[in-house]
Amino acid sequence: MQLIKETVGSIPNTAPEGIAQAVNQRWNSLTKPRGSLGRLEQSILRLAEIQGTAMPVMERRAMYVFCGDHGITAEGVSLYPSVVTREMAKNFLAGGAAINVLCRQVGIKPLIVDAGVVGGNIAGTLDRRIGDGTRNFLREPAMSKMEAIRAIENGIRLAHDAAARFDIAGVGEMGIGNSSAASALLCAFTGMSVEQAVGCGTGLDTAGLQHKQTVLAAALRRAGALESSDPLDIAAEFGGFEILTMAGFFLGAAGKHLPVVVDGFISGAAFLIAKALCPCIGNHVLFAHRSAEKGHAALLSASAVTPLLDLDMRLGEGTGAALAIGILSSALALYREMATFEQASVTGTEKEEQYS
């Protein structure tokens, strides 16, 4: 717990002084109308504020894919059995998954984290295991509070390592049953109803969705009797080992000025945990896309954030984050490489008047 407290205490509440002014001056000096690149300009400002420099870099890129299994799958809330988590983790290692293709396209190094896949550690993954999957949170807490703390601390340490190796990191996940965990966390942290928060996950039909909502409503009633407001208690009730490890990664990265791109709904639920522990964490991450999974739009709205993309995707794995890193790379190239009005011998004020 001490590591969590120290990490939260190291995260700055405000951006370094002068960064915003310098970045905006740079954008406004380039041969284009002011503000014409929209949220690309805002994204580079966020990148600069996180890194603490008016000339950010993102040459060394990583994608951390956090994997873990969930006991709630015993209730039939997913189309797929838990063994698929293990099989997909091996597919990631072999380079055959969607996330591998996108990472190759954008020059991102994928790293696969085993936070608690059923069946023991998979050779080639980063071993940050807490257990052999979580327990069934319909019947009991998904994990103990101590396990929750260990998972978050694992994520913090992993982020410290990442900050020494990379300029930017995306965060994605794989875990059968994790949309149920994310939905339950969304309800618990925001007070949202299961009807608002619970979607089809791996592709449930109407009957399957209704069953999933019934199961999660019952789980929330069970845990509601505890009446705890401690974020760690809530996270332990419903979270996955991979979700809590991601939450720790957000915190650890923020403390080390490493920009992190949040993928979709599941990593968004991890963000909710991190935000409950550190309210300013939103200033230290970028949001990739709005997932088609039902609860994600509500989660983004509750967090008052606007992602870069909206492509009706709901694959997970970090695929949205990989696409967003590609867009950020293009935006940064524009910021660093475009000529200024002075360099191009273009009169800034006159040219802007022509553009308007």
Side-chain angles (χ1 to χ4, degrees):
M1 188 64 192
Q2 186 61 30
L3 178 59
I4 297 174
K5 291 180 178 179
E6 291 175 355
T7 301
V8 170
S10 72
I11 298 171
N13 291 318
T14 58
E17 188 175 351
I19 295 291
Q21 181 180 2
V23 171
N24 289 329
Q25 284 180 345
R26 169 70 183 171
W27 276 125
N28 292 339
S29 74
L30 302 179
T31 48
K32 63 173 187 63
R34 291 193 178 197
S36 58
L37 289 174
R39 284 193 287 124
L40 295 184
E41 298 186 26
Q42 299 165 22
S43 297
I44 296 308
L45 173 56
R46 171 63 57 83
L47 193 68
E49 289 178 335
I50 296 170
Q51 290 187 350
T53 172
M55 292 299 286
V57 295
M58 49 181 296
E59 294 300 314
R60 303 173 301 165
R61 308 165 189 175
M63 181 64 64
Y64 286 82
V65 184
F66 294 80
C67 304
D69 276 306
H70 297 258
I72 193 67
T73 56
E75 303 300 328
V77 294
S78 173
L79 284 180
Y80 299 101
S82 290
V83 68
V84 172
T85 304
R86 188 174 190 86
E87 292 168 349
M88 282 302 300
K90 291 180 178 180
N91 191 25
F92 298 148
L93 292 170
I99 187 58
N100 300 104
V101 175
L102 292 177
C103 283
R104 288 193 291 268
Q105 290 290 311
V106 192
I108 302 172
K109 180 178 178 59
L111 298 105
I112 315 307
V113 182
D114 180 355
V117 177
V118 169
N121 180 240
I122 302 165
T125 63
L126 299 176
D127 185 357
R128 300 296 187 274
R129 293 176 60 81
I130 299 299
D132 215 30
T134 58
R135 295 184 283 277
N136 183 349
F137 66 70
L138 175 62
R139 315 293 176 181
E140 59 183 322
M143 67 191 77
S144 69
K145 187 171 183 177
M146 186 54 64
E147 287 173 327
I149 291 170
R150 285 175 53 208
I152 292 173
E153 290 180 341
N154 277 351
I156 290 172
R157 294 189 181 97
L158 193 60
H160 290 175
D161 176 69
R165 301 172 59 191
F166 302 108
D167 302 316
I168 191 168
V171 164
E173 41 60 41
M174 175 64 209
I176 297 300
N178 62 13
S179 70
S180 292
S183 296
L185 288 167
L186 177 58
C187 291
F189 277 114
T190 68
M192 203 170 293
S193 70
V194 292
E195 289 77 18
Q196 293 171 293
V198 181
C200 295
T202 50
L204 295 170
D205 59 16
T206 300
L209 174 59
Q210 290 174 347
H211 172 69
K212 182 178 178 180
Q213 291 175 338
T214 299
V215 168
L216 296 192
L220 287 159
R221 287 195 299 271
R222 176 198 61 76
L226 300 176
E227 296 184 350
S228 175
S229 60
D230 185 338
L232 293 174
D233 286 335
I234 296 171
E237 282 290 336
F238 305 112
F241 293 139
E242 84 281 25
I243 293 175
L244 271 74
T245 308
M246 281 190 284
F249 192 91
F250 296 143
L251 296 172
K256 294 294 184 180
H257 308 287
L258 173 68
V260 176
V261 181
V262 184
D263 183 38
F265 183 44
I266 315 303
S267 52
F271 170 79
L272 289 181
I273 297 172
K275 189 172 186 292
L277 294 167
C278 178
C280 71
I281 193 67
N283 296 330
H284 301 272
V285 300
L286 299 103
F287 289 82
H289 75 125
R290 179 178 287 102
S291 169
E293 182 64 21
K294 185 174 183 179
H296 195 220
L299 187 155
L300 292 171
S301 177
S303 303
V305 296
T306 302
L308 276 171
L309 302 167
D310 189 348
L311 301 173
D312 286 333
M313 293 172 58
R314 55 179 181 85
L315 175 58
E317 301 179 8
T319 49
L323 291 169
I325 287 173
I327 289 175
L328 288 169
S329 177
S330 295
L332 185 59
L334 290 167
Y335 176 78
R336 295 183 66 98
E337 298 174 23
M338 279 181 68
T340 65
F341 283 109
E342 182 178 1
Q343 290 168 335
S345 299
V346 174
T347 302
T349 302
E350 292 177 359
K351 193 66 177 176
E352 286 189 40
E353 287 176 353
Q354 293 177 32
Y355 285 155
S356 60

